[in-house]
Amino acid sequence: MATLKDVAELAGVSVKTVSNVVNGYSFVKPENERKVREALAATGYKPNVGARNLRRGRTGFIALMVPELSIPYFGELAGGVITAAHTHDWSVLIEQTQGMRDPEVATLASLGPHMVDGAIISPEALLTDDLTHNPTGVPMVLLGEHALDVPIDHVGIDNVQAARIAVRHLISMGRNRIAVIGQNPDRGTATQRLAGYHDALNEVGLTCPPEYVAPAVRYHHRDGAEAMARLLALPEAPDAVFCFNDMLAHGAVRAAAERGYHVPQDIAVVGFDNTEHSKYSLPSLTTIAPDKAALAKAAVNLIHERSNGDSSPVQDVQIPFTLEVRESTTG
Amino acid sequence: MATLKDVAELAGVSVKTVSNVVNGYSFVKPENERKVREALAATGYKPNVGARNLRRGRTGFIALMVPELSIPYFGELAGGVITAAHTHDWSVLIEQTQGMRDPEVATLASLGPHMVDGAIISPEALLTDDLTHNPTGVPMVLLGEHALDVPIDHVGIDNVQAARIAVRHLISMGRNRIAVIGQNPDRGTATQRLAGYHDALNEVGLTCPPEYVAPAVRYHHRDGAEAMARLLALPEAPDAVFCFNDMLAHGAVRAAAERGYHVPQDIAVVGFDNTEHSKYSLPSLTTIAPDKAALAKAAVNLIHERSNGDSSPVQDVQIPFTLEVRESTTG
DNA sequence: CGGCGTATTTACAACGTTGTACCAACGATG
DNA sequence: CATCGTTGGTACAACGTTGTAAATACGCCG
């Protein structure tokens, strides 16, 4: 609880001199510097971050808004953001929204300009209107979601292209009854991935029935399992499925196995996100692997530039990705 | 950026009156309250949290220190902490340590008393010395780790008993060559779980060779896979393995499968933590399931009580757990 | 030795908020 | 009518820090 004042009294100098020593400013007489440093050590002084930031006009925090940290993809992403934030001396405040609009709006509203220096948000259900006049008053970056037509920086991967590559891969292994799991008109990424799916089919003149486009409200294992169950119950079941995230895919794989289908022999599965587990599952999962570290870094860097007054046009940063081919498509 | 002063000028009242309205204090003439509310709306006033906290002497944040958010267990835990924190109007600041001592010590040191109102820490490599004189000056709660002999509140499960139950379960299915994966003298929880393992064996007069105690430095899939590979290469391979977390278990299952072993027929596997994925893996994983929501809630509540001046003796809160029996032990 | 430029230090204000103490107006009471 | 209590409102200081500008000390030149 020692303050600059306490240290100053002990060292016999002014408060400002101590402040100068602490901040490495200006010229301080060696003699005094020594005394101040001793006093600092003796009192165990720690700067009051709140007061400092009040004075400096920054907070030292950035916010990260995600649906749920318990979703591996967001856990991994958050880890990357924290790491990247540290390079700019930022700590990360994490808020969860369960992917629902009300909490998303509420969270944005609570992020006063005085609470954080910036916000990285992963919108799930936000509407364009919710973002048109920046509700936080602070630099923002949108992750993943690209469909919102708002003048806010965005970082993500080319979803259309990624989906195209995933489906091409299925086609190249000779599959021609290719389904998708995860259609959801409320999710911009879903719409884009679906477009990529159709592109890839069209490229080779393949057509698949509309029942092959399986919707999913949430993107959890359970949803993938349920969707797969419905697909396999079709008169003509698909021989490959492209899932819009890895959890859907793992759920789908399990549902298939429960019904006696072998992956990939009977039905091949591709996921999206490349979460840690997908490398070790049985079968291991072929999946689109975005460079999550690069994603986090780019987002944090954008916030950093903006908060330093950069007012260049809105940016849309594309992050590289790869297709990780694993057992679920190599039989 | 509107401040109380701006609002006050617009409404034609004093700054303090606006403050009173904002905080619902005292008696304000309806007439004035109306004017103030109008001015508040007109200016879009948002309180400056930093200034408020400087004045009030609290920060509105608590810190959560974990090894890595990308580890599903910690992702799930963090989600629970955030949820619990919200019930006390706290936001959560998350720091990662990679489970290494230096970052752990550094993080604790950086948590000034003015940065957060409390800290929930999940120590991995911290030594008793690092915690003897509370380095944060703020209420702390230790998670999971119980072996550190320090006067700090602790929340966790009864690791010895949990391990005992897990191993008893393996014994009850007729296995008698039972190994463990995850031994690590630097981890208190590992030591406790190992004790429970030995307890369970002793109860039925079973003895297992020391090679059946497989060490693991980190607790990732890879470590589990490597340990399992070594176990299966023994002259007499085990017919069951108790892994000290789910990731080790999943890695072990995969390693077994790669060598043609069937789980659970040839070798049964039990995990620890019950991460989301374990319900959907192939085979689904039998595991010890701590009540993570309760864990998070208890930790946050402890911080809350302590920060309200509660100075009762150090507490050790035991959180309930169950054994979730799934396919990896039911053949 | 007076004066001047540079090195070092300091007092003061300010960041935006809230607690304290005080002031004003009012009606009610003796 | 003087006093008092209640209700409503305000001025001021303070939280701990740092920027600004002004003050002091130092060394050197003429």
Side-chain angles (χ1 to χ4, degrees):
Chain A
M1 336 284 172
T3 71
L4 283 183
K5 197 165 148 230
D6 302 327
V7 179
E9 281 169 10
L10 185 57
V13 297
S14 80
V15 172
K16 191 64 214 291
T17 298
V18 180
S19 171
N20 286 339
V21 171
V22 170
N23 293 289
Y25 274 173
S26 160
F27 304 73
V28 179
K29 211 191 321 180
E31 161 72 6
N32 277 347
E33 164 147 12
R34 191 187 48 73
K35 281 196 291 190
V36 169
R37 293 215 177 278
E38 276 171 14
L40 282 172
T43 55
Y45 171 79
K46 296 251 195 79
N48 180 325
V49 191
R52 169 178 291 173
N53 293 337
L54 171 60
R55 187 61 242 249
R56 288 189 179 165
R58 69 188 294 268
T59 72
F61 299 111
I62 60 175
L64 172 65
M65 183 180 109
V66 294
E68 292 177 59
L69 272 186
S70 64
I71 297 175
Y73 175 72
F74 291 110
E76 297 179 18
L77 183 69
V81 168
I82 293 176
T83 303
H86 274 250
T87 66
H88 296 298
D89 285 326
W90 267 321
S91 289
V92 180
L93 202 68
I94 303 186
E95 300 287 357
Q96 297 184 114
T97 63
Q98 316 301 330
M100 293 174 338
R101 187 176 165 218
D102 285 354
E104 288 187 342
V105 173
T107 301
L108 286 182
S110 78
L111 260 37
H114 311 289
M115 185 106 161
V116 294
D117 296 332
I120 298 175
I121 72 178
S122 203
E124 202 97 329
L126 278 180
L127 306 180
T128 303
D129 281 355
D130 300 325
L131 290 169
T132 35
H133 41 279
N134 185 327
T136 65
V138 107
M140 286 181 27
V141 170
L142 256 46
L143 286 190
E145 191 63 70
H146 182 207
L148 296 175
D149 183 25
V150 287
I152 299 182
D153 291 327
H154 169 257
V155 179
I157 73 172
D158 182 340
N159 279 288
V160 179
Q161 179 65 2
R164 209 181 279 145
I165 287 175
V167 175
R168 272 186 202 149
H169 170 65
L170 291 170
I171 294 171
S172 76
M173 56 186 290
R175 307 297 164 119
N176 54 21
R177 299 195 309 279
I178 302 174
V180 300
I181 294 179
Q183 166 52 4
N184 186 329
D186 294 338
R187 298 187 184 227
T189 50
T191 306
Q192 291 166 22
R193 291 171 195 179
L194 187 62
Y197 160 77
H198 283 130
D199 284 359
L201 294 185
N202 290 339
E203 283 171 2
V204 295
L206 208 56
T207 54
C208 289
E211 311 90 78
Y212 276 15
V213 176
V217 180
R218 308 187 68 197
Y219 273 28
H220 286 247
H221 296 92
R222 165 197 293 272
D223 308 288
E226 289 171 358
M228 181 60 120
R230 284 192 298 273
L231 288 174
L232 294 179
L234 290 175
E236 188 171 48
D239 58 9
V241 183
F242 169 40
C243 301
F244 287 175
N245 83 356
D246 280 6
M247 282 201 297
L248 288 172
H250 289 299
V253 166
R254 178 160 182 96
E258 283 173 355
R259 283 161 186 75
Y261 287 77
H262 291 278
V263 176
Q265 294 84 349
D266 304 324
I267 185 159
V269 177
V270 174
F272 205 111
D273 283 348
N274 189 34
T275 52
E276 178 69 10
H277 193 90
S278 299
K279 208 182 309 179
Y280 294 91
S281 59
L282 287 174
S284 58
L285 183 67
T286 294
T287 186
I288 295 288
D291 186 340
K292 294 186 207 92
L295 189 78
K297 208 158 144 185
V300 171
N301 285 343
L302 271 175
I303 296 278
H304 187 245
E305 287 163 19
R306 295 296 184 194
S307 71
N308 283 350
D310 173 4
S311 56
S312 53
V314 171
Q315 291 194 41
D316 185 353
V317 180
Q318 296 261 345
I319 296 298
F321 63 90
T322 58
L323 176 74
E324 293 290 321
V325 178
R326 303 210 182 97
E327 293 163 357
S328 70
T329 61
T330 51
Chain B
M1 334 276 178
T3 71
L4 283 183
K5 197 167 147 226
D6 302 329
V7 179
E9 281 169 10
L10 185 57
V13 298
S14 81
V15 172
K16 190 64 213 288
T17 297
V18 180
S19 170
N20 287 339
V21 171
V22 170
N23 292 289
Y25 276 171
S26 160
F27 305 71
V28 179
K29 210 196 311 184
E31 161 70 5
N32 277 348
E33 166 147 10
R34 191 185 49 74
K35 281 198 291 189
V36 169
R37 294 215 177 279
E38 276 171 15
L40 283 172
T43 55
Y45 171 78
K46 296 251 195 80
N48 180 325
V49 191
R52 169 179 290 174
N53 292 338
L54 172 60
R55 188 61 241 244
R56 288 189 178 163
R58 69 188 296 269
T59 72
F61 299 111
I62 60 176
L64 172 65
M65 181 180 110
V66 294
E68 293 177 58
L69 271 187
S70 62
I71 297 176
Y73 175 73
F74 290 110
E76 297 179 18
L77 184 68
V81 168
I82 293 176
T83 302
H86 274 249
T87 66
H88 297 299
D89 286 325
W90 267 321
S91 289
V92 180
L93 201 68
I94 303 187
E95 300 287 357
Q96 298 185 112
T97 63
Q98 315 302 328
M100 294 174 338
R101 188 177 164 217
D102 285 353
E104 288 186 342
V105 173
T107 300
L108 286 182
S110 77
L111 260 38
H114 310 289
M115 185 108 162
V116 293
D117 297 331
I120 298 175
I121 71 178
S122 203
E124 202 97 328
L126 278 180
L127 306 180
T128 303
D129 281 355
D130 298 325
L131 289 169
T132 35
H133 39 278
N134 184 328
T136 65
V138 107
M140 285 181 28
V141 171
L142 256 47
L143 287 189
E145 191 63 70
H146 183 208
L148 295 175
D149 183 24
V150 287
I152 298 182
D153 292 327
H154 169 259
V155 179
I157 74 172
D158 182 340
N159 279 289
V160 179
Q161 179 65 4
R164 208 181 280 143
I165 287 175
V167 175
R168 273 187 202 147
H169 169 67
L170 291 170
I171 293 171
S172 76
M173 57 186 288
R175 307 298 164 117
N176 55 20
R177 300 195 309 280
I178 302 174
V180 300
I181 294 179
Q183 167 52 4
N184 187 329
D186 293 338
R187 297 187 185 227
T189 50
T191 307
Q192 291 165 21
R193 291 171 195 180
L194 187 62
Y197 159 78
H198 283 129
D199 283 1
L201 294 185
N202 289 339
E203 283 171 2
V204 296
L206 207 58
T207 54
C208 289
E211 310 90 78
Y212 276 15
V213 176
V217 180
R218 308 187 67 198
Y219 272 29
H220 287 246
H221 295 92
R222 165 197 293 269
D223 308 286
E226 289 170 359
M228 182 61 118
R230 285 193 298 273
L231 288 173
L232 294 179
L234 291 174
E236 188 170 46
D239 58 8
V241 183
F242 169 40
C243 300
F244 288 175
N245 84 356
D246 279 6
M247 282 201 297
L248 288 172
H250 289 298
V253 166
R254 175 155 186 100
E258 283 173 354
R259 284 160 186 75
Y261 287 78
H262 291 278
V263 176
Q265 294 84 346
D266 303 324
I267 186 160
V269 176
V270 174
F272 204 112
D273 284 348
N274 190 33
T275 53
E276 177 69 10
H277 193 89
S278 299
K279 209 183 308 179
Y280 293 92
S281 59
L282 286 174
S284 59
L285 184 67
T286 295
T287 187
I288 294 288
D291 186 338
K292 294 185 207 96
L295 190 79
K297 207 159 145 186
V300 171
N301 285 343
L302 271 175
I303 297 277
H304 188 245
E305 287 163 20
R306 294 295 183 194
S307 72
N308 283 349
D310 173 5
S311 57
S312 52
V314 171
Q315 292 195 39
D316 185 352
V317 179
Q318 296 261 345
I319 296 298
F321 63 89
T322 58
L323 176 73
E324 294 290 321
V325 178
R326 303 209 182 97
E327 294 162 355
S328 70
T329 63
T330 50

